[in-house]
């Protein structure tokens, strides 16, 4: 059985390899939104890392967010999706451990994401990095 912690750690390492020199991949760190400070499992944010010495990443710093879900799936798909869409975070991924699929939300509009796509195999190309291919299988280990 996949565990949330191990999947998050492996996913963070994998994304750090893929995005070396392009983005800072943060593990379980807070981000600052207008009315809250959630701690997403993984946040992919702008470089340099030193920009966050005195503050947490804010929406304009964030390329995309990843939540790893087992028991939290409903909350991640509904509540967190609404929070991130309201903050205008362009892309949000939920790794559904039970179904071994990534649910990719994109294009926030009026507090909702305009698109939602379920991907069970192959690759996902992040909006911010059209030259990067993220392997679904590698994210799930």
């Amino acid at each position: 059985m996949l565990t949330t912690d191990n999947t998050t750690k492996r996913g963070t390492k994998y994304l750090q390899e893929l995005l070396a020199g392009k983005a800072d991949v943060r593990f379980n760190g807070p981000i600052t939104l207008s009315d809250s400070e959630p701690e997403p499992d993984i946040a992919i944010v702008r470089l340099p890392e030193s920009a966050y010495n005195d503050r947490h990443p804010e929406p304009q710093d964030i390329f995309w967010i990843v939540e790893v879900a087992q028991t939290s799936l409903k909350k991640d798909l509904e509540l967190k999706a609404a929070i991130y869409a309201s903050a205008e975070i362009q892309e949000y991924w939920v790794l559904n451990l039970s179904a071994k699929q990534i649910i990719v939300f994109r294009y926030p509009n009026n507090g909702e994401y305009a698109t939602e796509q379920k991907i069970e195999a192959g690759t996902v190309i992040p909006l911010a990095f059209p030259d990067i291919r993220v392997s679904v299988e590698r994210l799930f280990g």
Side-chain angles (χ1 to χ4, degrees):
M1 186 174 104
L2 293 172
T3 67
T4 313
D5 287 351
N6 274 353
T7 302
T8 304
K9 279 188 193 139
R10 269 197 315 270
T12 302
K13 282 185 189 153
Y14 172 49
L15 291 171
Q16 284 170 336
E17 289 167 25
L18 276 181
L19 296 165
K22 295 176 186 287
D24 180 24
V25 180
R26 300 169 70 87
F27 174 73
N28 281 338
I31 59 173
T32 301
L33 305 180
S34 61
D35 54 0
S36 64
E37 284 208 339
E39 294 186 17
D41 293 324
I42 304 172
I44 297 86
V45 303
R46 293 184 193 286
L47 292 170
E49 196 178 312
S50 61
Y52 315 111
N53 288 348
D54 304 325
R55 65 180 181 87
H56 301 308
E58 296 168 359
Q60 66 272 18
D61 303 312
I62 299 168
F63 293 117
W64 85 93
I65 285 178
V66 180
E67 294 285 4
V68 179
Q70 190 132 25
T71 55
S72 63
L73 185 63
K74 185 173 168 50
K75 181 179 169 188
D76 290 337
L77 293 178
E78 294 172 10
L79 179 68
K80 288 189 181 174
I83 290 168
Y84 297 145
S86 294
E88 296 288 316
I89 294 173
Q90 293 303 301
E91 187 161 13
Y92 169 47
W93 298 3
V94 176
L95 274 57
N96 177 347
L97 295 185
S98 303
K100 285 199 175 166
Q101 68 180 193
I102 302 177
I103 301 144
V104 177
F105 295 93
R106 291 183 168 156
Y107 312 112
N109 186 17
N110 293 325
E112 295 179 348
Y113 282 99
T115 67
E116 175 182 334
Q117 183 183 12
K118 293 181 175 157
I119 302 168
E120 294 176 11
T123 58
V124 184
I125 300 170
L127 289 175
F129 300 100
D131 55 329
I132 298 285
R133 306 265 180 289
V134 180
S135 162
V136 173
E137 291 79 7
R138 283 277 314 264
L139 279 178
F140 286 107

